[in-house]
Amino acid sequence: MGGLQRFEQRLENMVYGAFARVFRSAVQPVEIAAALERECDNNAQILSRQRRAVPNDFHVELAGTDFDRLAPYDSTLVQDLTAQLQEHADQQHYVFPGPVTIAFESAEDLSTGRFRIKSRAQAKVTSNSNLTRQRRPRALIEVNGTKHPLVPPGLVIGRGTEADVRINDPGVSRRHIEFLVFTRDDDLDIEVGDLGSTNGMLVDGHRVQRTAVQDGSRVKIGGTTITVRVTEDESEDREYGDV
């Protein structure tokens, strides 16, 4: 028995028996499961002979009527879909860059029974620095929903354990880039430099080795985008680190 057949049988034995009947003429859970698997298959990137990277953040867009019918069951359905997707990934030697997340959304342009899936690779980000309580830093970086202060002398970003900020992105080298922070009188200067990485970096869409950055600058390494934020407001206490 194939994975999708087992998945469908599990639904039959649970509350989704009722869910499937409600959706008899609309979207079926097994259709969503199959589409999620195809989304991984179509976006797999080769890491090695036995490993391929696939997206881990999925948004399932449904017609308003289907979305409303799904609402009472969505949390349990997400759990089953996630388990099914993990089983498929194990069979195909797929690697997720972070935890699998599946969210349902309503889309006005879809009719009943139609749906679409949007996906992206959302790498897990962690910090090797302990959380510290301090005045709001004048600069920080934002990456995949986490914030990390930029204070002198700076920080190293990469995939390895020696990096100050670790990004579990297969396209990121162990020590990929370094942000350098300088203070001169009341001025704050920030630079970013490549540390001899395999895939290099893009700053605001341009491939460079080293350059100055400012508020709003976007640095892309692998499949991950890092945004620089600079503020002159130091009046508020806040904790920073991976969130």
Side-chain angles (χ1 to χ4, degrees), residues 38-93:
R38 287 196 301 272
E39 189 71 12
C40 286
D41 296 340
N42 293 337
N43 291 279
Q45 298 183 3
I46 297 175
L47 297 177
S48 66
R49 186 174 180 180
Q50 292 293 330
R51 299 168 67 245
R52 287 182 287 178
V54 293
N56 62 313
D57 183 55
F58 303 90
H59 291 259
V60 183
E61 297 183 347
L62 301 160
T65 51
D66 290 338
F67 180 79
D68 292 340
R69 291 169 180 166
L70 170 65
Y73 310 99
D74 63 350
S75 60
T76 308
L77 181 56
V78 165
Q79 294 177 8
D80 280 348
L81 288 171
T82 301
Q84 173 61 28
L85 200 57
Q86 184 64 61
E87 180 180 334
H88 180 67
D90 292 342
Q91 293 172 349
Q92 301 299 322
H93 304 290

Side-chain angles (χ1 to χ4, degrees), residues 196-214:
S197 66
T198 300
N199 297 317
M201 68 172 177
L202 298 175
V203 178
D204 295 328
H206 301 285
R207 187 170 295 277
V208 296
Q209 288 293 320
R210 185 184 179 110
T211 186
V213 292
Q214 57 189 356

Side-chain angles (χ1 to χ4, degrees), residues 9 11 21 26 35 45 47 61 65 97 99 112 132-133 137 154 166 168 176 182 185 188 195 204-205 220 235 242:
Q9 188 175 66
L11 297 185
R21 287 194 293 274
Q45 298 183 3
L47 297 177
E61 297 183 347
T65 51
T112 300
T132 57
R133 190 167 186 85
R166 298 180 62 192
N168 187 31
H176 199 114
F182 309 94
D185 296 327
L188 180 70
L195 295 175
D204 295 328
K220 185 174 183 180
S235 62
D242 50 297

Side-chain angles (χ1 to χ4, degrees), residues 134-152:
Q134 59 183 32
R135 298 180 68 83
R136 181 197 292 267
R138 294 177 61 185
L140 56 87
I141 57 171
E142 297 177 346
V143 50
N144 291 355
T146 68
K147 297 179 180 180
H148 307 268
L150 278 177
V151 295

